[in-house]
Amino acid sequence: MADSNFIDYVKIHCRSGKGGAGSRHFYRAKYVPKGGPDGGDGGRGGHIILRGDAQMWTLLPLKYNRHLFAGNGQSGSGGRSSGKDGDDVIVNVPCGTVVFDAETGEFLAEVNRPGEEIKLIRGGRGGLGNWHFKSATNRTPRYAQPGEPAIERTVILELKLLADVGLVGFPNAGKSTLLSSISAARPKIADYPFTTMEPQLGIVSYRDNRSFVMADIPGIIEGASEGKGLGLRFLRHIERNAVLLFMVPADADDVTKQYEILLRELERFNPQLMDKHRILAVSKSDMLDDELREEIEATLPKDIPHVFISAVTGQGLDKLKDVLWEAVTDVDNQIATPSITHRPLDGQHRVREEDEFIFDTPDIPDEEDYEEDWDETDGDGGWDDDDFDPNFDPDKFVPDAED
């Protein structure tokens, strides 16, 4: 997995920009001895914004850019001049990206549509200049508001593929073969377990130029919800599928038992998956005769529709498409974005190597650290009184050896 370009889980550190300070300036000009306060407002700090990008399919760019720092707002100046706003940081992410707080695991936001923008962290507001505080009883306000501080947060981005149908099954159940037979996708196919190491998407053509999207998920084994095998790493993608197609090979010892094991693993991972529409496909049915087929059919669960298929010979594929299209277009299976409730990101659903990632976040000096503390409240300028030591005697000053 380290060499794969498909990254669906990444931990990043974000910091918005801080707001600029308001100005304490007074207008001074020839023949205008009492021009009054005219200090401008400080600029706002930059935001951290996530934007959906239909051309992206992985979080790989963020794996090598884990620090997102927005620009700080500049301070205001005289003449009611406002400071410049800090630069926003806009991060393009694939559609279907979900954001969690890295510390608490709390769900924060999600990006589902191309061009959709989510303001992940708000920049600090700029402070008001002293021009806002003048009144009939306070004609020379010698104060202004400071800008709001920046906000730092470590978040986890989790990608959940958007597909209409998700394939669920044990390794070597024929999921990749089915996807390659009914779509243009070409996943890796071999006769050993866990051939599929990352999810694959394929567009399945249907009648009258209609189509739907099918996702091939790496094989699930018993105990996947506890972290065994690859199932836990990719079960998150099933949460985005409207219909779940369970695939059990016909040569299995007990088709119904394998289906129940798969169903139990999904329930342990996220109980809300039990509300999704389910279809059972018995693959590799070309090995069955009529007698064996009737025997297996008598033991199948009655609460879900089932189809006997063979991706090699094409047996039952047209019927399977009909059943899937009926389920996908069913009004009850239409996923409304507000109705999706994401399971919390607890220890069971985290990726260990990402959760243990340590950020190196050195303090970035502010602009004010290098600015002279010049007092703009005096008409002719000058240093603030609190910048001087009242007990300082220049005649008794002895410089250090370094000076």
Side-chain angles (χ1 to χ4, degrees), residues 52-342:
D53 188 347
Q55 305 302 320
M56 293 184 64
W57 60 280
T58 175
L59 296 173
L60 180 65
L62 290 175
K63 185 176 178 65
Y64 302 102
N65 185 22
R66 296 178 180 268
H67 298 82
L68 303 178
F69 296 153
N72 295 329
Q74 294 184 358
S75 301
S77 57
R80 303 182 188 178
S81 299
S82 299
K84 180 183 177 182
D85 293 340
D87 295 331
D88 298 333
V89 173
I90 300 179
V91 186
N92 291 332
V93 295
C95 297
T97 301
V98 185
V99 187
F100 297 93
D101 186 274
E103 301 296 332
T104 63
E106 176 188 3
F107 166 75
L108 299 178
E110 60 180 329
V111 181
N112 294 317
R113 298 182 301 275
E116 179 182 6
E117 293 187 354
I118 300 296
K119 190 182 297 182
L120 183 60
I121 303 181
R122 180 181 60 84
R125 291 180 297 180
L128 299 178
N130 62 348
W131 174 73
H132 290 275
F133 303 104
K134 67 177 182 179
S135 64
T137 58
N138 185 17
R139 297 187 178 184
T140 56
R142 300 180 181 275
Y143 51 84
Q145 285 183 338
E148 288 185 344
I151 300 176
E152 291 194 36
R153 170 174 274 178
T154 303
V155 299
I156 290 177
L157 301 184
E158 193 178 66
L159 174 61
K160 300 180 182 180
L161 292 181
L162 300 173
D164 300 308
V165 180
L167 298 178
V168 183
F170 286 96
N172 283 354
K175 302 185 298 300
S176 299
T177 306
L178 174 63
L179 184 65
S180 63
S181 300
I182 62 178
S183 72
R186 292 294 176 264
K188 184 178 180 181
I189 301 174
D191 58 351
Y192 54 85
F194 297 111
T195 308
T196 302
M197 299 295 291
E198 59 188 42
Q200 300 286 337
L201 290 178
I203 299 178
V204 181
S205 300
Y206 193 60
R207 301 186 182 96
D208 301 329
N209 295 324
R210 294 174 294 182
S211 62
F212 57 89
V213 181
M214 178 178 289
D216 178 17
I217 309 298
I220 300 174
I221 63 176
E222 188 172 3
S225 60
E226 301 173 358
K228 297 181 180 179
L230 298 176
L232 179 63
R233 182 71 181 268
F234 301 105
L235 278 175
R236 64 175 67 95
H237 300 288
I238 301 178
E239 296 177 313
R240 285 292 193 184
N241 305 146
V243 180
L244 300 181
L245 177 59
F246 290 80
M247 293 191 62
V248 181
D251 57 353
D253 296 335
D254 191 335
V255 176
T256 303
K257 183 178 179 180
Q258 287 201 9
Y259 164 74
E260 293 175 350
I261 292 175
L262 294 172
L263 194 63
R264 185 165 58 251
E265 294 301 325
L266 296 186
E267 183 178 9
R268 290 176 178 175
F269 179 77
N270 187 354
Q272 293 185 359
L273 293 177
M274 298 298 98
D275 299 333
K276 294 183 177 293
H277 192 94
R278 302 190 297 270
I279 299 173
L280 176 60
V282 182
S283 61
K284 306 179 183 179
S285 297
D286 55 313
M287 301 185 300
L288 302 176
D289 55 20
D290 294 339
E291 183 179 354
L292 288 175
R293 178 172 175 172
E294 293 177 359
E295 182 179 346
I296 293 177
E297 191 170 8
T299 62
L300 296 180
K302 307 300 181 182
D303 56 338
I304 65 170
H306 59 271
V307 182
F308 287 84
I309 64 171
S310 174
V312 176
T313 63
Q315 173 188 346
L317 295 185
D318 291 337
K319 182 180 179 181
L320 177 63
K321 289 183 181 181
D322 294 337
V323 175
L324 291 176
W325 180 259
E326 181 180 356
V328 169
T329 56
D330 191 350
V331 179
D332 296 336
N333 292 332
Q334 300 300 317
I335 299 180
T337 301
S339 65
I340 298 177
T341 304
H342 299 277

Side-chain angles (χ1 to χ4, degrees), residues 30 196 223 231 285 351-352 401:
K30 192 175 183 180
T196 302
S285 297
V351 178
R352 180 179 56 82

